[in-house]
């Protein structure tokens, strides 16, 4: 699975960081970073929740 | 058979049993009297939010029809627009509401909170809504909109009147229409004045805005002000009142917050989940949609029940428990997707700072339930009066 971030939509609400801190990080300037663009399979549930709950639909998942 | 009627004042005393019955018995509910559908499960509400092409905001986001001669966009600006125009107009002012930008307001918001709390701290009692919760948010948004101090009480009165509904009435009462007109007129004059007086603020961003090389017309310019004056005010006031009430109602949670103030942001978010200020937003269907074996027809309105989605046990464990330590990231209190609340970070900041100062300055507050009064609207939930002693 591959995580894609649309930086234009992201508004740094940090929901993904709560759902999957292994994969997402907000820096001090509130810019979101995807730490692992191809996370391991055991993180799937967390990453799917992050994608589903992103308030701005800024994340997508590709297989 | 479950009935959901947001125009019935009785419904607002405790809407949550009705929501539960809707989720279990009628997840695609139709109200024949008022001709609208309601979606109540978290997954259905979020799916609708994700699909603005089908669930349009263009006819406004309330179930009530607009008064004659007024369009939804005239009052609700980008709240009542679909992409791409929605994105263009929201985008004009977004930079003023980013998390980073909002953090800079921490000092000014705290100064306002302490100002009003200092005024009442020696009195031993107050109306938490009228004396505090209604004041701070109006001041914060007024500073952003450059509304002079002398005008703010009048504006707040008009804003309260605009959202008020009479029992069992599914249209805006004449007083609400009149207050709306007064607000439009006020901001009309305000915008004209500010066109000639640049100050480098949010108002400039709107009055001198260009979208694709075209200036924003006066109607749209005024509408942005109208929307912010109401949205920046009503729901945050209700958030503060609901937060204080539910902490008082749950002494175990109050002990936790008293012991550990870092739980205050959790208190804010749990209030927004448990008893959201914005309970429902409406959409209008652009095509027929099949859901749970029912066909919702093109042109019909659909109520998206945020207040119900936030209590869905498919998503939240023990959802009827008020728990300030809960992970509430699935909350739909601020909506979801394109229309996600522009002021979410600001509302959370105001909530946190106001409640921090409350816990410092009047920590012994005791609610006097006999004097409590609820405000009535089909979509906004909260109190108009919350007497406390301390």
């Amino acid at each position: 699975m591959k995580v894609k971030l649309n930086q234009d939509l992201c508004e740094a609400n940090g929901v993904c960081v709560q759902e999957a801190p292994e994969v997402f990080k907000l820096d001090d300037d509130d810019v979101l970073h995807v730490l692992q663009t191809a996370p391991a399979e055991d993180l799937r549930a967390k990453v799917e929740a992050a994608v589903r709950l992103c308030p701005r639909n800024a994340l997508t998942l590709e297989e | 058979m479950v009935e959901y009627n947001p125009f019935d004042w009785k419904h607002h005393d405790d809407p949550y049993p009705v929501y539960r019955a809707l989720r279990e018995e009628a997840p695609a509910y139709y109200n024949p009297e008022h001709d609208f559908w309601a979606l109540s499960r978290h997954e259905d509400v979020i799916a609708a939010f994700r699909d603005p092409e089908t669930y349009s905001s263009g006819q406004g986001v309330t179930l009530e029809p607009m008064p004659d001669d007024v369009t939804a966009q005239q009052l609700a600006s980008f709240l009542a627009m679909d992409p791409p125009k929605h994105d263009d107009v929201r985008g004009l002012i977004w930079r003023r509401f980013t998390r980073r930008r909002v953090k800079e307001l921490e000092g000014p918001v705290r100064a306002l909170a302490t100002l009003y709390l200092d005024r009442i701290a020696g009195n031993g009692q107050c109306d938490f809504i009228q004396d505090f919760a209604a004041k701070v948010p109006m001041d914060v948004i007024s500073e952003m909109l450059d509304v002079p101090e002398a005008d703010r009480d009048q504006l707040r009165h008009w804003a309260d009147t605009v959202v008020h509904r009479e029992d069992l009435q599914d249209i805006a009462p004449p007083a609400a229409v009149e207050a709306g007109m007064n607000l439009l007129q006020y901001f009309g004059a305000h915008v004209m004045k500010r066109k000639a007086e640049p100050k480098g603020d949010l108002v400039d961003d709107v009055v001198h805005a260009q979208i694709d090389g075209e200036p924003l017309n006066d109607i749209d310019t005024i509408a942005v002000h109208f929307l912010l004056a109401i949205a920046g005010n009503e729901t945050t006031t209700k958030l503060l009142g609901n937060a204080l009430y539910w902490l008082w109602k749950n002494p175990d949670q109050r002990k936790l917050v008293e012991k550990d103030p870092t739980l205050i942001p959790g208190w804010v978010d749990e209030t927004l989940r448990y008893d959201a200020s914005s309970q429902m937003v409406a959409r209008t269907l652009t095509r027929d949609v099949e859901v749970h074996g029912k066909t919702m027809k093109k042109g019909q309105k659909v109520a998206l029940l945020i207040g119900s989605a936030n209590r869905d046990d498919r998503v939240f464990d023990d959802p009827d428990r008020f728990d300030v330590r809960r992970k509430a990231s699935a909350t739909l209190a601020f909506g979801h997707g394109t229309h996600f609340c522009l002021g979410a970070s600001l509302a959370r900041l105001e909530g946190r700072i106001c409640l921090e100062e409350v816990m410092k300055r009047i920590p012994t507050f005791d609610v006097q339930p006999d004097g409590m009064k609820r405000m009535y609207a089909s979509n906004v939930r909260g109190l108009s009066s919350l007497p406390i002693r301390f």
Side-chain angles (χ1 to χ4, degrees), chain A residues 11-12 19 52 55-57, chain B residues 50 90 99 329 336-338:
Chain A
E11 292 181 351
E19 294 298 326
R52 187 174 63 248
R56 291 283 296 156
N57 297 332
Chain B
R50 293 184 89 113
R90 186 182 185 274
R99 239 170 64 139
S329 49
H336 182 96
T338 306

Side-chain angles (χ1 to χ4, degrees), chain A residues 4-19:
Chain A
K4 286 215 159 159
L5 162 66
N6 183 337
Q7 202 68 255
D8 293 337
L9 288 177
C10 176
E11 292 181 351
N13 288 289
V15 170
C16 56
V17 182
Q18 284 183 55
E19 294 298 326

Side-chain angles (χ1 to χ4, degrees), chain B residues 119-276:
Chain B
R119 275 190 201 167
I120 55 172
N123 299 354
Q125 59 177 355
C126 74
D127 180 342
F128 185 73
I129 303 295
Q130 296 302 325
D131 297 330
F132 182 70
K135 298 275 193 189
V136 178
M138 189 69 213
D139 277 340
V140 172
I141 200 68
S142 294
E143 290 292 331
M144 296 179 87
L145 295 175
D146 191 31
V147 168
E149 254 181 272
D151 299 346
R152 293 176 190 174
D153 282 345
Q154 177 65 71
L155 252 60
R156 188 160 59 80
H157 175 69
W158 284 334
D160 285 346
T161 308
V162 162
V163 296
H164 173 79
R165 294 290 174 271
E166 297 295 337
D167 198 12
L168 300 171
Q169 298 296 307
D170 65 356
I171 52 164
V177 176
E178 191 189 325
M181 292 304 151
N182 285 333
L183 279 168
L184 285 179
Q185 218 165 35
Y186 179 89
F187 282 116
H190 187 63
V191 160
M192 288 309 139
K193 183 164 164 260
R194 282 300 315 275
K195 273 187 182 174
E197 287 175 30
K199 297 186 182 181
D201 61 1
L202 183 153
V203 178
D204 280 350
D205 291 352
V206 184
V207 300
H208 301 298
Q210 296 222 331
I211 293 176
D212 298 331
E214 294 286 321
L216 204 61
N217 66 38
D218 286 344
I219 288 176
D220 284 339
T221 306
I222 295 164
V224 174
H225 289 76
F226 188 101
L227 169 64
L228 293 182
I230 293 184
N233 172 20
E234 287 297 323
T235 46
T236 315
T237 297
K238 272 58 181 182
L239 161 64
L240 293 172
N242 293 344
L244 201 81
Y245 176 76
W246 288 114
L247 199 74
W248 174 79
K249 262 304 231 192
N250 291 275
D252 61 319
Q253 300 298 303
R254 184 170 180 166
K255 279 199 194 99
L256 292 173
V257 172
E258 282 168 351
K259 231 198 260 170
D260 181 3
T262 65
L263 291 174
I264 290 175
W267 174 18
V268 172
D269 278 341
E270 179 64 345
T271 303
L272 286 163
R273 182 198 71 85
Y274 187 80
D275 203 17

Side-chain angles (χ1 to χ4, degrees), chain A residues 8-16 18-20 26-31 49-60, chain B residues 42 46 49-50 86 90 94 98-100 103 269 315 327-332 335-342 344-345 348:
Chain A
D8 293 337
L9 288 177
C10 176
E11 292 181 351
N13 288 289
V15 170
C16 56
Q18 284 183 55
E19 294 298 326
L26 275 175
D27 68 21
D28 292 342
D29 292 326
D30 280 338
V31 176
V51 170
R52 187 174 63 248
L53 294 176
C54 169
R56 291 283 296 156
N57 297 332
L59 297 170
T60 42
Chain B
H42 190 280
I46 208 170
F49 275 131
R50 293 184 89 113
H86 162 275
R90 186 182 185 274
W94 161 244
T98 62
R99 239 170 64 139
R100 226 172 119 190
K103 275 181 198 158
D269 278 341
V315 174
K327 185 175 116 214
S329 49
T331 185
L332 296 179
H336 182 96
T338 306
H339 285 275
F340 184 75
C341 176
L342 176 84
S345 289
R348 284 188 163 119

